[in-house]
């Protein structure tokens, strides 16, 4: 791949709980601008990132799925013509338990040199993933990554037993 963005973050949670946060619409909405993914997360399945108004922001298909350790998806932007014209990118999520935390590595790649899509996600991923970390660890996402005032976990322990 010719353009690549890699981000590593450590979150005080288990890979199982982080996987759930990455794949469950009701959780995603809380840290990803009230958007959510529609997918069953099985190899070959289509996925799409839905916006609050019912639009499709991004779409692709699942290339690899090894819950809760690894997820690889083909990814294409659907709403910006110049990004959509670049075609598909590849996004890999790797989750590894490290004592009381999970090391979470996101690698987003394109075959294109100087990909505008990779340039765009390199500005978005840090904010999204930091908000996810905050939400899991404190029960509150960053206000900049929520579009509704109720896009927070009221009781962090209520989501799948415990997020912490």
């Amino acid at each position: 791949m010719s353009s690549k963005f890699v981000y590593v973050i450590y979150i005080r949670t288990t890979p199982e709980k982080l996987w759930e946060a990455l794949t469950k619409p009701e959780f995603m909405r809380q840290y990803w601008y009230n958007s959510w993914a529609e997918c069953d997360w099985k190899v070959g399945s289509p996925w799409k990132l839905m916006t609050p108004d019912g639009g499709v922001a991004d779409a692709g298909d699942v290339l690899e799925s090894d819950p809760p350790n690894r997820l690889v998806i083909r990814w294409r932007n659907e709403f910006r013509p110049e990004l959509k014209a670049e075609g598909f990118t590849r996004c890999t999520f790797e989750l590894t338990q490290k004592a009381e935390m999970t090391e979470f590595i996101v690698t987003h790649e394109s075959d294109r040199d100087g990909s505008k899509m990779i340039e765009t996600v390199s500005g978005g991923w840090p904010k999204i993933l930091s908000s996810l970390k905050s939400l899991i660890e404190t029960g509150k996402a960053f206000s900049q990554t929520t579009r509704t005032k109720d896009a927070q976990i009221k009781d962090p322990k209520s989501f799948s037993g415990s997020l912490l």
Side-chain angles (χ1 to χ4, degrees), residues 3-164:
S3 295
K4 181 189 285 191
F5 174 78
V6 179
Y7 193 80
V8 181
I9 191 166
Y10 294 87
I11 302 175
R12 186 182 302 272
T13 192
T14 64
E16 292 81 9
K17 291 174 185 167
L18 181 53
W19 181 274
E20 188 173 354
L22 294 168
T23 60
K24 298 292 182 192
E26 62 273 18
F27 197 91
M28 289 182 76
R29 292 177 90 122
Q30 298 179 72
Y31 66 87
W32 202 317
Y33 299 99
N34 207 22
S35 296
W36 68 96
E38 290 185 355
C39 186
D40 65 12
W41 306 111
K42 295 179 183 171
V43 173
S45 293
W47 75 273
K48 54 188 172 180
L49 184 66
M50 304 300 296
T51 60
D53 63 1
V56 177
D58 301 292
D61 54 273
V62 178
L63 301 174
E64 295 178 40
S65 184
D66 179 22
N69 306 304
R70 183 175 166 87
L71 179 65
V72 182
I73 55 178
R74 277 188 344 136
W75 184 307
R76 182 178 67 197
N77 180 274
E78 297 294 327
F79 68 95
R80 289 181 54 188
E82 71 278 13
L83 298 180
K84 186 173 183 174
E86 286 191 6
F88 286 96
T89 59
R90 176 182 169 111
C91 188
T92 302
F93 299 127
E94 297 172 283
L95 296 75
T96 307
Q97 188 74 53
K98 304 274 185 171
E100 77 277 7
M101 62 190 147
T102 297
E103 178 185 64
F104 181 30
I105 303 171
V106 175
T107 304
H108 208 132
E109 306 170 276
S110 172
D111 289 332
R112 292 177 169 262
D113 285 328
S115 167
K116 296 283 189 207
M117 179 65 174
I118 300 306
E119 181 182 326
T120 300
V121 300
S122 70
W125 276 125
K127 192 179 289 185
I128 296 288
L129 298 177
S130 295
S131 188
L132 168 61
K133 175 182 172 66
S134 180
L135 181 61
I136 289 175
E137 293 180 349
T138 72
K140 187 175 180 181
F142 297 152
S143 61
Q144 293 86 357
T145 62
T146 59
R147 288 197 174 147
T148 59
K149 62 183 173 189
D150 60 348
Q152 298 171 1
I153 294 178
K154 301 301 184 215
D155 175 9
K157 296 193 184 313
S158 70
F159 189 80
S160 187
S162 174
L163 293 174
L164 308 176

